[in-house]
Amino acid sequence: MELSRQKLNLYWPLIPAGGLLLFCGWLLIGSSGRLPFTAKLLERECRRLETLRKSILDLREQNRQLQLETRPMTAIREGALAVDGDTAAVRLREQVERIAAASGITISSLREIQQVPAAEGWIACTLSFSAECAVVDLQEFLAGVDNNIPRLYWRNLTLRPDNTNTPSKVILDGQLALLNHAEEEE
């Protein structure tokens, strides 16, 4: 008996630790893993997370709407120049002459380039010209203008035959515009 009492005295400090271990096991398993004092804290955090989730979904929807609204502006900006006005005017004249030469059109007159404000921060450089060509060359010239980068826009175009009885050429009177936006400073 004396021997069992000595063994019991040796294990006596482990009895409270074992009891604490059983209590912790019951809290974690018996209470579904929740500690009694954390239920309100967890509910509050769940509500806060749900509010944040809804805010993120709303912001994603707003971002999608903004992307849809700005998509046309992005396309216009990609097809425009971002240089000073004099450089844009020179580039417009060079492009029209290059397209005309490539398609075989004879330009009879190029007028002075006008710089007209199109919107805040945007300038439209316009060039009026006259030319004459065959119908095949006209198709090539129009395709060259449509496929040009930066994009050229027709402000007006008048086509008429050189002779009403036996037309051999087409006379072109037109005005092309090139959009230029001011460079943004960062």
Side-chain angles (χ1 to χ4, degrees):
M1 180 95 162
E2 190 63 39
L3 187 58
S4 65
R5 237 181 188 192
Q6 284 178 345
K7 284 186 178 180
L8 188 61
N9 283 341
L10 286 175
Y11 295 113
W12 181 252
L14 294 177
I15 291 174
L20 185 61
L21 185 63
L22 287 173
F23 178 71
C24 288
W26 174 79
L27 279 178
L28 291 175
I29 295 171
S31 63
S32 301
R34 289 189 182 175
L35 298 175
F37 54 87
T38 61
K40 288 184 181 179
L41 178 68
L42 289 175
E43 287 175 13
R44 186 176 57 221
E45 288 300 314
C46 285
R47 283 193 305 269
R48 188 177 72 81
L49 287 174
E50 184 62 24
T51 305
L52 289 174
R53 187 186 69 80
K54 287 179 182 177
S55 295
I56 289 171
L57 290 176
D58 289 343
L59 289 173
R60 281 183 181 168
E61 180 61 25
Q62 289 175 4
N63 188 27
R64 190 184 66 76
Q65 290 294 331
L66 285 174
Q67 285 177 340
L68 289 175
E69 290 174 11
T70 59
R71 188 176 297 157
M73 189 61 176
T74 304
I76 290 172
R77 185 175 284 272
E78 288 173 356
L81 286 178
V83 295
D84 65 278
D86 294 334
T87 306
V90 170
R91 294 268 306 267
L92 174 61
R93 183 178 298 273
E94 288 173 353
Q95 287 178 352
V96 170
E97 289 173 346
R98 180 181 48 80
I99 294 169
S103 61
I105 288 182
T106 305
I107 295 179
S108 56
S109 71
L110 285 173
R111 292 167 195 78
E112 187 174 329
I113 295 177
Q114 299 175 356
Q115 296 184 13
V116 181
E120 185 177 332
W122 289 82
I123 295 174
C125 297
T126 59
L127 173 67
S128 298
F129 65 96
S130 295
E132 68 177 45
C133 63
V135 174
V136 174
D137 297 336
L138 174 65
Q139 291 172 341
E140 216 174 298
F141 178 74
L142 293 176
V145 168
D146 285 342
N147 297 328
N148 191 53
I149 301 285
R151 181 104 168 87
L152 297 176
Y153 299 93
W154 286 104
R155 295 219 31 200
N156 62 42
L157 176 64
T158 304
L159 301 172
R160 65 180 193 276
D162 64 341
N163 183 348
T164 54
N165 293 332
T166 56
S168 62
K169 292 190 176 194
V170 177
I171 297 177
L172 227 79
D173 286 318
Q175 188 176 35
L176 283 169
L178 174 74
L179 288 178
N180 183 31
H181 60 87
E183 293 184 25
E184 297 174 2
E185 296 180 16
E186 295 183 19

